[in-house]
């Protein structure tokens, strides 16, 4: 496989990247993507094992420390990744400035709200 | 001076002008899958909140999950997740500088489609015959 570089000669010479927020956003999207690979595999494996589980079995499973921790990590990684991703989608397609701000802020609050809901629920079950 | 350049500069053609190709179709599908998965997160929130609320709320979720609509949504969720997972790995290869030449971009694309198909079918085989 041939490896290709994105950097211009000047940027390579200076050894510095962009100083804006774009690179942080981009990097965070990739870091959460990498974290999600094992987490997604764990989640699907767990769901397949939990098919038909009743309330008792499900809450017992989720109160295992390892399961509770991995579920919290999945929730944080996936919602953060989804928040970053849908921000880009809105930026690409919504050109009306006011509507764009409204959507971006609304989206952020929405993801925070469902993230807190998930984490609180997991902790309540795990620490019950 | 800038006037001359302005007049001679070609306009970028609209998207509809291009013939859809496997690479471009997969690119927009990655976006659709990402959005579908974001909406699908609501199912997970519902499950966790219901389980934290009590047996009755949990059972309501389970009845929904087992219904035709619920199964349809879960099938869509696994399909979107597997496609986005596999194609996301293809993206990550690009991000570190590999698979840019046409041949490998296509090869990896077909590999993603095959893996998505196998993983989705395999998962639902496990669901139906567990
Ligand atoms: C399974 C592991 C996952 C991997 C490896 C992954 C990978 C990626 C990558 C590399 C991108 C950037 C694509 C680009 O630059 O255009 C991306 C975008 C995105 N992802 Fe994921 N992702 C994963 C899971 C998820 C999940 C669980 C969700 C939703 C809950 C999600 C939602 C999104 C969204 C909304 C975007 C933005 C789409 C766009 O910009 O076109 N991803 N993903």
């Amino acid at each position: 496989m041939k490896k290709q570089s994105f950097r211009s000669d000047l940027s390579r010479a200076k050894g510095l990247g962009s100083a804006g927020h774009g690179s942080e956003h981009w990097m965070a999207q990739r870091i959460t993507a990498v974290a999600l690979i094992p987490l997604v595999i764990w989640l699907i494996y767990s769901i397949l094992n939990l098919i038909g589980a009743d309330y008792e079995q499900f809450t017992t499973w989720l109160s295992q420390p390892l399961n509770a921790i991995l579920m919290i990590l999945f929730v944080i990684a996936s919602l953060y990744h989804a928040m970053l991703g849908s921000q880009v989608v809105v930026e690409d397609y919504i050109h009306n400035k006011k509507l764009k701000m409204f959507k971006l802020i609304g989206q952020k609050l929405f993801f925070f709200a469902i993230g807190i809901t998930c984490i609180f629920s997991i902790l309540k079950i795990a620490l019950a | 001076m800038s006037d001359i350049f302005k007049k001679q500069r070609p306009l970028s053609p609209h998207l509809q002008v291009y013939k859809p190709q496997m690479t471009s179709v997969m690119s927009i599908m990655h976006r659709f899958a990402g959005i579908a998965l974001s909406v699908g997160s609501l199912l997970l929130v519902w499950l966790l909140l219901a389980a934290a609320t009590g047996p009755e709320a949990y059972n309501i979720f389970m009845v929904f999950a087992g219904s035709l609509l619920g199964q349809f949504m879960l099938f869509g969720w696994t399909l979107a997740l597997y496609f986005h997972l596999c194609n996301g790995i293809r993206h990550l290869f690009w991000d570190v500088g590999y698979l840019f030449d046409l041949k490998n971009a296509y090869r990896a694309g077909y590999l993603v489609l095959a893996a998505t198909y196998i993983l989705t079918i395999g998962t639902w085989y496990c669901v139906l015959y567990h």
Side-chain angles (χ1 to χ4, degrees):
Chain A
M1 276 197 287
K2 197 164 132 273
K3 190 169 163 66
Q4 210 161 307
S5 171
F6 291 113
R7 313 196 76 179
S8 69
D9 292 339
L10 181 61
S11 106
R12 214 173 2 248
K14 291 202 288 196
L16 298 168
S18 148
H21 291 296
S23 58
E24 275 163 47
H25 183 287
W26 188 90
M27 208 54 202
Q29 180 103 55
R30 316 294 128 166
I31 292 169
T32 50
V34 172
L36 277 167
I37 297 171
L39 289 170
V40 157
I41 294 170
W42 165 80
L43 182 69
I44 293 190
Y45 171 80
S46 304
I47 293 175
L48 285 177
N49 275 323
L50 282 164
I51 290 175
D54 61 20
Y55 175 76
E56 211 53 51
Q57 290 164 324
F58 182 79
T59 47
T60 308
W61 174 82
L62 195 54
S63 31
Q64 299 288 314
L66 187 64
N67 293 332
I69 291 167
L70 286 171
M71 189 62 101
I72 292 174
L73 288 175
F74 174 79
V75 165
I76 294 175
S78 75
L79 293 180
Y80 189 35
H81 178 91
M83 186 178 84
L84 295 167
S86 41
Q87 182 186 336
V88 179
V89 176
V90 168
E91 285 166 354
D92 281 353
Y93 301 134
I94 313 266
H95 300 304
N96 177 312
K97 263 219 163 95
K98 276 187 193 152
L99 186 62
K100 187 195 289 209
M101 280 318 280
F102 182 74
K103 289 228 173 189
L104 288 177
I105 294 170
Q107 234 170 11
K108 274 219 163 90
L109 294 175
F110 173 77
F111 280 113
F112 272 111
I114 60 176
I116 296 297
T117 308
C118 286
I119 293 171
F120 176 82
S121 302
I122 297 165
L123 290 177
K124 178 167 183 256
I125 294 165
L127 302 177
Chain B
M1 186 187 84
S2 62
D3 267 7
I4 301 171
F5 288 113
K6 234 178 221 157
K7 282 193 188 112
Q8 291 177 345
R9 210 184 291 146
L11 287 170
S12 81
H14 286 288
L15 201 56
Q16 296 92 306
V17 170
Y18 291 105
K19 175 167 166 274
Q21 293 160 30
M22 185 264 252
T23 40
S24 64
V25 172
M26 283 183 77
S27 169
I28 193 62
M29 269 166 50
H30 191 78
R31 181 157 275 197
F32 284 142
I35 297 168
L37 288 171
S38 303
V39 176
S41 309
L42 289 172
L43 284 178
L44 185 65
V45 188
W46 183 7
L47 167 63
L48 292 172
L49 187 59
T53 305
E56 272 170 41
Y58 177 84
N59 285 337
I60 292 174
F61 175 86
M62 286 313 255
V63 169
F64 173 77
S67 72
L68 201 61
L69 178 63
Q71 292 284 292
F72 179 75
M73 285 173 78
L74 286 171
F75 181 82
W77 185 74
T78 54
L79 183 63
L81 187 59
Y82 282 135
F83 175 75
H84 193 91
L85 168 69
C86 299
N87 201 48
I89 294 172
R90 180 163 166 255
H91 262 281
L92 294 173
F93 269 96
W94 283 327
D95 293 338
V96 288
Y98 294 103
L99 305 179
F100 275 108
D101 56 302
L102 213 51
K103 200 174 97 197
N104 281 320
Y106 267 88
R107 268 194 192 159
Y110 284 119
L111 194 63
V112 164
L113 291 178
T116 305
Y117 182 79
I118 292 169
L119 288 168
T120 309
I121 300 290
T123 299
W124 283 86
Y125 183 83
C126 291
V127 171
L128 297 174
Y129 299 101
H130 72 280

